[in-house]
Amino acid sequence: GCGPSLPRRGLLRRAWERLYRPIRVLPDEDLDREYWKFVWSQALINTGVSFHYNALTPLIGPTKETSHNVTDNRALNSGAQLAASLATGPMIDRSSLQRVLAWTHFFRALLMFSVPILFFYGYFAIAAFHAIIFVAGFLQTMGFTAGSVVFNRIIGPHSAYYNRANAVYTLVVSLGGVLAPLAAGLFVVAADAAFGGLAGAALSYG
């Protein structure tokens, strides 16, 4: 990602400094590298969320009779996020943030990957999907809460740069939020054409 270590000396270092200067947000090189790793990881997560939302309606609520499944699922997801906020906030404060971020996103990725597996092997059911999304929503909120703490800790020593860092973070993540739904739509259409049925929506979760 952005923010790799600078070459130690000479022309390469000076050339790299000129290239790197426009995208540096924090004056401390190591913290700036950690900042950019965090920003790109959050942009990637936001992209994945866009793929999920794009696939939700065609997968579980494609008809008028089944449209209530979408609102039921979003309600379950919101409930899971509320439960996670109440139950895990104090725990996150006392835990290793790196481990919380790694494990919550890892297990959430496994849950999302289980959707196309269940679909293609014929075990996909709305109750199972609701359960998957509830647990995934719980883990997602844990990860986002830990992420907010990480962001503030990275910026902490350079609080004067907070507005700039927040603006750059919002710009990068929002750009992903604009492009990802378009990419997700193209992916779903292509996968449907290749595999038929609702395969594109199921694969979009994986």
Side-chain angles (χ1 to χ4, degrees), residues 44-63:
L44 183 62
I45 291 165
N46 194 45
T47 298
V49 170
S50 293
F51 270 70
H52 303 156
Y53 285 161
N54 192 277
L56 181 63
T57 298
L59 186 63
I60 66 170
T63 66

Side-chain angles (χ1 to χ4, degrees), residues 92-200:
I92 289 171
D93 288 338
R94 297 190 296 270
S95 303
S96 164
L97 293 174
Q98 187 175 28
R99 288 182 180 178
V100 172
L101 284 171
W103 288 110
T104 54
H105 291 306
F106 174 74
F107 284 117
R108 186 172 177 274
L110 289 182
L111 287 167
M112 295 295 100
F113 190 63
S114 71
V115 172
I117 293 176
L118 292 172
F119 179 85
F120 283 107
Y121 280 91
Y123 294 106
F124 183 81
I126 190 63
F129 182 76
H130 284 339
I132 289 169
I133 297 304
F134 182 88
V135 178
F138 191 95
L139 293 173
Q140 178 182 340
T141 297
M142 285 184 67
F144 283 170
T145 302
S148 296
V149 178
V150 167
F151 180 83
N152 283 291
R153 288 188 181 178
I154 291 173
I155 306 301
H158 302 287
S159 56
Y161 292 82
Y162 183 89
N163 287 337
R164 179 182 179 184
N166 191 53
V168 172
Y169 167 81
T170 302
L171 175 65
V172 173
V173 174
S174 297
L175 183 62
V178 171
L179 298 178
L182 300 175
L186 292 173
F187 174 84
V188 170
V189 170
D192 281 348
F195 302 106
L198 297 172

Side-chain angles (χ1 to χ4, degrees), residues 15-101:
W16 178 248
E17 283 178 339
R18 289 194 185 96
L19 290 171
Y20 182 50
R21 193 176 297 120
I23 63 169
R24 173 171 282 180
V25 175
L26 301 176
D28 182 278
E29 179 186 331
D30 292 332
L31 279 179
D32 192 68
R33 185 164 56 249
E34 294 304 310
Y35 166 82
W36 276 109
K37 284 195 291 187
F38 174 78
V39 169
W40 288 120
S41 69
Q42 294 302 303
L44 183 62
I45 291 165
N46 194 45
T47 298
V49 170
S50 293
F51 270 70
H52 303 156
Y53 285 161
N54 192 277
L56 181 63
T57 298
L59 186 63
I60 66 170
T63 66
K64 185 177 180 180
E65 291 74 21
T66 58
S67 61
H68 67 89
N69 289 334
V70 176
T71 54
D72 292 347
N73 188 264
R74 300 318 307 149
L76 281 169
N77 185 262
S78 297
Q81 293 182 36
L82 174 62
S85 297
L86 295 174
T88 64
M91 181 194 73
I92 289 171
D93 288 338
R94 297 190 296 270
S95 303
S96 164
L97 293 174
Q98 187 175 28
R99 288 182 180 178
V100 172
L101 284 171

